[in-house]
Amino acid sequence: MYIPQIKYLLILCVPIVYLFGCSSPKDTDREYTYFGGEIVNPNTDYIVLTKDNSVFDTIYLNKNNQFLHRMKDFEEGLYSFKHSPENQLVILEKGDSILIRLNTLEFDESLVFTGDGARKNNFLIDMFLENETERERLKKRDFRLPPLQFKNRQDSLLNLRVKRFNKLTHKYQLSNISKKICRSSFDYDFYSRYEMYFYRYQYSVINKINFLKELPESKELPSSFFEYRNDVNFNDDDLKRLYSYNRFLNQYFTNHSFTKYSEKKSPFKNQTGYTIYKLNLVDSTIQHAYIKNNLLRGITSNFILNNKNNYTSKKVLDHYLSIGTNKKFKKELKRLAKATYRLKANNIIPDQELISSDGNPTMLSTLLKKPITALYFWTTENKDHYVKAHKKAKFLSEIYPEIDFIAINKDVDQTKNWLKTLQRHHYDLDREYEFKFPKCSSEELLVTQYNHYINKVILVDQAGRIINPNADLFSNIFERQLISYTQRIKKAASYSLK
């Protein structure tokens, strides 16, 4: 599986061999740490290495799309390397000489590490890919199992991961920090599975919904279901960038708040009170500033994006501002709230500068030529989404010719890759645009990194008036909404002719 990648990496290894010889970094006590590799089909001429949301270094590729970076006196631990628009994690420690090779067409799947420090990172990426694959099975099948059967199945899968981890640590010498990160990469993923299951369980009990398969087993949660919570460190500095750790924290606080708030009031009837309770729970539980501020930011942004009432949005935002300590996040959420106030039904959509597929600048308002225009958004970093979105838009445009489906790419500095993607998939170039100023436009139209609704569609009429700011391209009711909106516009047009 990895032989072709290793073959290419051997070419890049030559300068490192001259530098290090054949000895191990732990034996030579190297003064420097090296991080290098090769990017196949690069989108830009550089990669960015970050630590704790701050840029640690920008590393440029040579003419062969290779790079080699030397570091000294740095903080060991978990880093993120980004080759726009995608990123992945890497464990870096003193004395490592890590090489990567990846193809941007299959970023995570093609990524392979070689050199000293490779084994821990290959284990990390393997866990990431397996966790993502199994998540699909969870949605389709496992979440519908009775509690005990669900717990036993997940515990069995977890034990298989533990055996692989033990095999790795027995065969190779890893530092304590590497062991911790590797073990946590799958432990916390399973913890989040238990939390997600419990949320569905609570929801079904409160709403009297039977979401379980009809099996002759107890539907009560086993007493051991939450034993893992005793092992959780809510202020773990070493894990603050780990995907599985952060996913667990988000799900845990959702569950814990839901449980406690439900004892007094209904979370469904008072989302504002429930959200403020959740913010307070995070504030009182977590002391680590980085972890706390990221959680508070996520909770507040989700509420603002999903809420239709300006008064309650302001109430939650004001509470967040009173307990949050990250000045950058506070400014971002103020801008987010302002954008949601403007992007309401019956308001005129904020005009945006776009670039057409032939490179010409144009304004969004000039594209509104049909009774209804459906604006949908995509990024090259999510191939599965943009392929399905374009296919659905093409299908709907044939059924509803009075609706114009316009695709807008929101990637930053991705014109070259955007055009390559359009050509590769033979998309209709007359209906493809990209933001001229992606960051500002994404914020104004609420298609930023906060927005977990990647299927978002904004429907506007010919005058630019917003019909629906948050339609869902793949929702079961989307076509019914389109029929309703087109009938309404036709009726309005017929009245105007009388």
Side-chain angles (χ1 to χ4, degrees):
M1 178 180 176
Y2 293 142
I3 291 176
Q5 289 95 327
I6 295 172
K7 177 182 175 183
Y8 283 102
L9 280 167
L10 287 174
I11 299 172
L12 190 61
C13 283
V14 173
I16 295 184
V17 171
Y18 279 123
L19 284 169
F20 302 144
C22 300
S23 56
S24 163
K26 308 309 174 188
D27 296 335
T28 57
D29 192 25
R30 292 177 189 153
E31 185 179 3
Y32 295 101
T33 295
Y34 289 82
F35 178 56
E38 180 183 8
I39 310 293
V40 180
N41 298 312
N43 299 321
T44 63
D45 63 349
Y46 62 90
I47 69 167
V48 177
L49 194 63
T50 62
K51 177 75 170 171
D52 304 342
N53 283 345
S54 299
V55 175
F56 180 77
D57 245 321
T58 300
I59 310 168
Y60 289 90
L61 307 180
N62 64 19
K63 62 180 181 180
N64 297 317
N65 300 327
Q66 299 171 341
F67 67 95
L68 184 60
H69 186 61
R70 186 173 73 172
M71 295 172 285
K72 181 182 179 182
D73 299 329
F74 68 100
E75 183 184 353
E76 296 181 311
L78 206 54
Y79 284 73
S80 175
F81 65 91
K82 179 176 183 178
H83 182 71
S84 189
E86 301 204 59
N87 64 83
Q88 193 49 265
L89 299 174
V90 58
I91 304 171
L92 291 174
E93 297 177 271
K94 184 179 179 182
D96 283 343
S97 55
I98 297 174
L99 294 174
I100 66 168
R101 187 179 190 269
L102 64 86
N103 189 323
T104 60
L105 300 181
E106 296 289 342
F107 192 95
D108 295 323
E109 293 77 6
S110 68
L111 176 61
V112 62
F113 297 85
T114 59
D116 293 319
R119 292 184 181 93
K120 60 195 176 189
N121 284 296
N122 279 324
F123 183 87
L124 198 64
I125 189 67
D126 285 347
M127 291 300 101
F128 172 81
L129 292 173
E130 288 189 27
N131 293 341
E132 293 299 306
T133 300
E134 288 181 5
R135 192 160 290 110
E136 290 303 311
R137 178 193 170 97
L138 283 165
K139 295 175 184 177
K140 294 178 180 177
R141 197 172 102 178
D142 288 3
F143 279 146
R144 294 180 61 81
L145 295 173
L148 184 59
Q149 191 173 337
F150 172 82
K151 183 72 164 58
N152 288 340
R153 167 155 181 79
Q154 298 310 311
D155 285 351
S156 177
L157 291 172
L158 176 57
N159 287 334
L160 292 176
R161 297 281 212 285
V162 173
K163 288 179 181 178
R164 288 173 59 184
F165 172 76
N166 290 338
K167 184 178 179 180
L168 174 75
T169 55
H170 289 157
K171 190 173 181 180
Y172 305 106
Q173 185 178 355
L174 299 185
S175 68
N176 289 333
I177 183 65
S178 290
K179 288 180 183 178
K180 180 179 180 180
I181 293 172
C182 288
R183 176 72 193 244
S184 298
S185 68
F186 60 85
D187 270 348
Y188 278 99
D189 185 80
F190 279 86
Y191 297 168
S192 68
R193 298 180 191 192
Y194 302 139
E195 294 293 337
M196 286 187 282
Y197 181 90
F198 181 53
Y199 183 80
R200 292 179 179 229
Y201 179 87
Q202 285 191 99
Y203 185 91
S204 68
V205 170
I206 292 175
N207 292 280
K208 298 180 181 179
I209 298 172
N210 181 19
F211 80 113
L212 304 171
K213 288 183 178 179
E214 294 297 334
L215 293 174
E217 293 189 38
S218 172
K219 295 181 181 179
E220 297 297 321
L221 289 173
S223 58
S224 62
F225 197 86
F226 296 112
E227 283 182 349
Y228 61 89
R229 287 182 175 178
N230 298 325
D231 301 324
V232 173
N233 179 358
F234 291 97
N235 298 279
D236 201 317
D237 186 71
D238 295 327
L239 304 181
K240 61 180 178 287
R241 294 294 304 278
L242 192 64
Y243 302 136
S244 54
Y245 178 69
N246 285 288
R247 185 183 291 119
F248 163 75
L249 291 179
N250 277 297
Q251 197 62 48
Y252 169 82
F253 282 105
T254 295
N255 271 347
H256 203 55
S257 302
F258 192 93
T259 303
K260 293 298 182 183
Y261 194 78
S262 298
E263 294 174 357
K264 300 178 181 179
K265 299 180 181 178
S266 169
F268 306 108
K269 294 180 180 179
N270 189 359
Q271 279 288 314
T272 304
Y274 164 67
T275 303
I276 290 175
Y277 183 92
K278 190 174 179 180
L279 290 171
N280 288 336
L281 185 63
V282 170
D283 185 44
S284 61
T285 305
I286 297 184
Q287 291 76 48
H288 193 290
Y290 178 93
I291 298 173
K292 177 187 289 190
N293 280 303
N294 274 288
L295 284 168
L296 294 176
R297 174 203 197 193
I299 295 166
T300 306
S301 63
N302 285 339
F303 180 85
I304 292 173
L305 285 165
N306 291 313
N307 190 43
K308 296 180 180 180
N309 185 296
N310 290 346
Y311 172 77
T312 53
S313 288
K314 185 178 184 304
K315 189 173 181 180
V316 169
L317 176 63
D318 286 344
H319 189 73
Y320 160 78
L321 295 174
S322 70
I323 59 179
T325 58
N326 187 300
K327 293 180 180 179
K328 179 183 175 183
F329 289 174
K330 287 184 176 183
K331 291 179 181 178
E332 287 179 357
L333 289 178
K334 286 179 181 178
R335 291 198 300 268
L336 180 68
K338 187 179 293 185
T340 59
Y341 300 157
R342 295 181 62 190
L343 208 68
K344 299 286 186 185
N346 297 318
N347 289 348
I348 298 297
I349 189 169
D351 210 1
Q352 305 297 321
E353 293 186 68
L354 306 173
I355 299 174
S356 65
S357 59
D358 56 9
N360 292 323
T362 187
M363 298 302 295
L364 174 60
S365 55
T366 65
L367 306 181
L368 311 179
K369 298 176 181 178
K370 290 191 177 183
I372 297 178
T373 298
L375 305 171
Y376 66 102
F377 310 88
W378 62 283
T379 168
T380 54
E381 69 178 277
N382 195 333
K383 182 178 179 181
D384 183 60
H385 169 258
Y386 75 68
V387 169
K388 290 180 180 178
H390 278 83
K391 185 177 181 180
K392 183 69 179 288
K394 183 180 179 181
F395 170 76
L396 292 173
S397 64
E398 293 171 354
I399 298 177
Y400 306 99
E402 65 272 45
I403 300 177
D404 210 359
F405 286 82
I406 301 294
I408 301 178
N409 181 272
K410 60 176 186 167
D411 290 331
V412 178
D413 299 327
Q414 284 294 299
T415 297
K416 181 180 176 182
N417 199 42
W418 169 60
L419 292 174
K420 283 166 57 178
T421 304
L422 298 182
Q423 293 164 1
R424 187 184 306 121
H425 293 279
H426 307 290
Y427 292 145
D428 184 352
L429 301 182
D430 291 335
R431 286 173 172 77
E432 296 288 342
Y433 297 85
E434 67 172 349
F435 286 132
K436 184 176 182 179
F437 304 106
K439 187 175 184 299
C440 293
S441 294
S442 292
E443 286 184 354
E444 287 197 349
L445 299 184
L446 299 180
V447 288
T448 64
Q449 70 273 22
Y450 301 112
N451 195 354
H452 53 274
Y453 289 112
I454 61 173
N455 303 326
K456 172 174 175 155
V457 178
I458 301 177
L459 298 167
V460 294
D461 65 17
Q462 204 163 353
R465 195 172 301 281
I466 298 171
I467 300 171
N468 187 334
N470 287 304
D472 186 328
L473 185 61
F474 296 101
S475 168
N476 293 329
I477 65 170
F478 185 54
E479 283 200 61
R480 293 203 297 272
Q481 290 175 330
L482 294 182
I483 294 171
S484 172
Y485 298 145
T486 51
Q487 289 177 343
R488 189 190 312 166
I489 287 178
K490 286 178 181 178
K491 188 179 291 186
S494 64
Y495 281 136
S496 66
L497 293 175
K498 292 180 181 179

